[in-house]
Amino acid sequence: MTVLPQRRRSLYLLLLVAIACNILCISGFTTKHALVRNIPTSLQSIQDTLLDSLQTKLDSESSDVDQSTSTNGSKQRIPFIIQRLGRGTKKEIEEITQLCVDVFFNAQEDVPNNNDKKTTAPWKAVQLAYLRNYQRGDILSRNAFKKDQLVDLIVARRVYSVDESSNMNVIANKIDSADQIFNADQLPTGGDESTLVFGEIIGYCEMVEKKFGLGGNFEGDEPNDDDNDEEDDDKKEVKMEEKLRPYLGNLSVVKYARRSGVGSKLMDEGEQVVREWDAGHTEIVLQVEEDNPSAVQFYKRRGWEFVFADPTCRRYDTSGFFLKESRVTKYAMIKRLDQQIADQNGLKAANDAGESLMDKLRNSFFVSKQ
């Protein structure tokens, strides 16, 4: 057998393989084309079904959100009362420290009574326990060793409408008059057996008389030309260091009770406390952190004025594994009480000192000095 016929057989074999492949490709393409023509109908039906199901789900969620929004919008204000606790009992102080630490360091879900639902890391739980003990110890030590200091703890308690027969402890927390309830229109209308009681603390602030300097523009009188300049400077420095002022501290409101007027009513009660002290105070001071702009604006709307910024302040930081103190700038702000009270205090002090009212007003920081 020659070589040429072998090559021809190879060519014939390759040709047959090529023909067979073409036949298979054509048949496969035809079958595939037939299937493709049928696929769009099936996919379209599936797509329509999925879209309908998705739209139904979205409509359902949207209606739930709208219903929830309307419900919350009509009952978002929490009914509450304001109470003065004086220096507070141990039980009240315990509840206050729990509230303050949670608001400042452990705020979570925007729901009431969520302490049991909070998920706190073990190391942060230790940090929070330390902060509670620290604040509780600070209040108790003040009660024990600074008994002459003017102090008033002010709280806001949530109000509930309950069935008096369902709980024997209801009588102890019963509210005598509905006139002292704020947002009373948000309470459900109950029957004759329902009664109004106060529950947990939802807001807190404290008014304390303490030494707090505001700088030369707010301290004392200007030196007289006839007096010794060095002696006047020494007196002004001592006066700046030792002047007692009412200090508003630890204003805190739980998240779910905000925008209910709790903070405003707490501050109103604090101002009334200072007036009832009858200690001659004509202003109240506080400090607020600069990275809390909402609080700064809240105070400004209520007539507080900026005095100075202190960049040397510190605060506790619970973001890490270990509790630490970090530097923060705090704004000192002042709220002047109404002019009528200031004039009355000025007249009383002037009469006691044998001075004229005009001399007293001339030395007051309410009058600009020329």
Side-chain angles (χ1 to χ4, degrees):
M1 182 179 297
T2 61
V3 177
L4 185 58
Q6 291 179 354
R7 290 181 177 178
R8 287 180 179 176
R9 278 199 299 271
S10 299
L11 292 175
Y12 291 152
L13 182 59
L14 292 175
L15 181 59
L16 292 175
V17 172
I19 293 172
C21 290
N22 288 333
I23 294 173
L24 292 175
C25 289
I26 292 173
S27 62
F29 174 79
T30 303
T31 304
K32 182 179 180 181
H33 185 65
L35 292 174
V36 170
R37 284 200 305 266
N38 296 329
I39 284 176
T41 304
S42 301
L43 288 178
Q44 187 65 37
S45 61
I46 295 173
Q47 181 179 350
D48 293 340
T49 303
L50 291 175
L51 289 176
D52 292 340
S53 176
L54 181 60
Q55 186 64 39
T56 302
K57 184 177 180 180
L58 290 175
D59 293 340
S60 176
E61 292 179 354
S62 178
S63 62
D64 292 341
V65 170
D66 293 340
Q67 183 178 0
S68 176
T69 303
S70 61
T71 302
N72 294 335
S74 61
K75 294 186 178 181
Q76 63 180 354
R77 293 181 292 119
I78 303 296
F80 65 94
I81 61 172
I82 298 294
Q83 291 181 337
R84 296 186 195 178
L85 305 181
R87 290 180 173 264
T89 63
K90 289 186 178 180
K91 182 179 179 181
E92 292 168 342
I93 294 172
E94 181 71 28
E95 193 173 358
I96 287 171
T97 54
Q98 179 75 33
L99 168 76
C100 291
V101 173
D102 277 348
V103 169
F104 293 128
F105 301 101
N106 196 33
Q108 294 188 16
E109 293 86 356
D110 188 11
V111 294
N113 301 326
N114 66 329
N115 291 331
D116 296 336
K117 300 179 182 179
K118 289 185 177 181
T119 56
T120 305
W123 58 86
K124 188 170 184 178
V126 174
Q127 297 174 1
L128 298 178
Y130 170 82
L131 293 174
R132 294 188 191 99
N133 290 331
Y134 179 84
Q135 186 182 17
R136 180 168 56 252
D138 182 63
I139 296 176
L140 292 176
S141 64
R142 181 177 61 195
N143 292 346
F145 301 108
K146 297 181 180 180
K147 296 183 179 180
D148 296 334
Q149 186 180 25
L150 295 176
V151 177
D152 259 298
L153 309 183
I154 308 170
V155 298
R157 290 187 178 273
R158 187 171 185 176
V159 175
Y160 296 93
S161 177
V162 299
D163 185 1
E164 187 172 350
S165 61
S166 62
N167 191 346
M168 296 300 296
N169 296 327
V170 166
I171 301 177
N173 296 341
K174 186 176 180 180
I175 300 175
D176 298 329
S177 174
D179 296 336
Q180 57 183 317
I181 302 176
F182 300 98
N183 302 329
D185 58 323
Q186 301 299 313
L187 289 168
T189 56
D192 297 335
E193 296 182 355
S194 64
T195 184
L196 299 177
V197 298
F198 61 83
E200 75 276 8
I201 296 177
I202 60 175
Y204 167 75
C205 74
E206 59 186 28
M207 192 64 68
V208 182
E209 187 185 53
K210 60 184 294 186
K211 297 176 183 178
F212 194 89
L214 292 177
N217 292 333
F218 293 87
E219 308 290 344
D221 304 334
E222 288 187 344
N224 297 324
D225 296 336
D226 298 336
D227 298 335
N228 189 310
D229 293 341
E230 293 183 359
E231 183 178 355
D232 289 334
D233 291 340
D234 293 340
K235 289 181 179 180
K236 179 180 286 188
E237 183 177 357
V238 172
K239 200 167 187 179
M240 180 171 58
E241 291 293 334
E242 296 182 353
K243 184 171 183 179
L244 293 173
R245 286 187 169 88
Y247 182 89
L248 177 69
N250 290 326
L251 178 63
S252 51
V253 180
V254 295
K255 190 174 181 180
Y256 70 86
R258 292 171 189 172
R259 299 187 179 277
S260 298
V262 177
S264 297
K265 296 305 179 182
L266 286 170
M267 297 188 72
D268 290 342
E269 191 70 17
E271 294 177 13
Q272 184 62 29
V273 164
V274 175
R275 295 187 181 98
E276 294 180 6
W277 282 351
D278 195 22
H281 296 300
T282 56
E283 78 277 343
I284 306 173
V285 294
L286 61 79
Q287 286 179 297
V288 57
E289 297 172 358
E290 68 169 351
D291 57 358
N292 191 359
S294 59
V296 175
Q297 293 302 319
F298 170 75
Y299 294 132
K300 286 183 177 179
R301 288 194 301 268
R302 294 189 52 82
W304 291 77
E305 305 173 32
F306 172 84
V307 181
F308 65 87
D310 184 1
T312 64
C313 297
R314 292 185 176 275
R315 66 180 175 190
Y316 285 106
D317 184 2
T318 60
S319 60
F321 187 79
F322 295 102
L323 182 65
K324 62 180 181 180
E325 289 185 336
S326 59
R327 191 179 298 275
V328 64
T329 299
K330 289 186 178 182
Y331 296 150
M333 305 185 75
I334 185 173
K335 172 71 178 289
R336 296 184 176 92
L337 300 180
D338 51 87
Q339 188 65 37
Q340 181 179 0
I341 300 299
D343 291 343
Q344 291 176 356
N345 292 333
L347 179 60
K348 180 180 178 181
N351 293 334
D352 293 341
E355 300 178 2
S356 67
L357 177 60
M358 292 303 298
D359 291 337
K360 192 65 182 179
L361 290 177
R362 189 178 295 110
N363 293 328
S364 173
F365 62 79
F366 289 103
V367 180
S368 61
K369 303 180 179 69
Q370 302 295 333

